[in-house]
Amino acid sequence: MGSEAIIVFFLAGIVLVAGANFLSNLISPKSDNLQKREPYESGMTTIGPTWVQFKVGYYLFAILFLIFDVEVAFLVPWAVVFGDLGTVALAEIIIFLAILGLGLGYAWKKGALKWE
């Protein structure tokens, strides 16, 4: 039952995502206005180059936010069933938090948390 269930869930995921994309393309409003093709959709022509490079620090800050947001998504369900899991789960979550702590320490040392 294990491998068949994985295949069924994988195919169901593909069908749901493809169906949602198809349905949104089918029922979404369409606009062929030339102003919609402007980079900022303001209707004004841009002055200077449209593509502007951003500091990589902004992306690092966003990635760190996502990492610790996902951490919360793992910790909340773990905390809800903590009483039923036992000491093995406690050791695993301590390892998980230690790895995330090492990542946070590395980012802090590299200055990724400084917003300048």
Side-chain angles (χ1 to χ4, degrees):
M1 181 185 139
S3 63
E4 294 90 11
I6 291 173
I7 293 171
V8 168
F9 283 127
F10 184 72
L11 291 176
I14 290 174
V15 168
L16 288 174
V17 170
N21 282 333
F22 175 75
L23 188 63
S24 71
N25 284 332
L26 187 68
I27 64 174
S28 65
K30 309 286 188 285
S31 174
D32 248 356
N33 192 345
L34 291 177
Q35 289 179 344
K36 294 293 280 184
R37 296 185 187 158
E38 289 291 322
Y40 299 105
E41 296 185 8
S42 65
M44 298 175 60
T45 56
T46 57
I47 300 171
T50 304
W51 294 99
V52 179
Q53 290 185 350
F54 291 97
K55 283 179 53 177
V56 73
Y58 299 137
Y59 297 112
L60 291 175
F61 198 83
I63 289 172
L64 284 170
F65 174 76
L66 287 174
I67 288 170
F68 290 103
D69 194 37
V70 169
E71 172 194 6
V72 171
F74 282 122
L75 282 178
V76 169
W78 177 84
V80 169
V81 295
F82 173 68
D84 301 333
L85 296 177
T87 58
V88 174
L90 180 62
E92 289 174 352
I93 204 67
I94 288 172
I95 293 169
F96 176 69
L97 291 174
I99 292 170
L100 285 175
L102 287 172
L104 179 61
Y106 177 77
W108 197 330
K109 181 181 175 187
K110 290 294 184 180
L113 300 176
K114 292 181 183 174
W115 193 264
E116 297 175 359

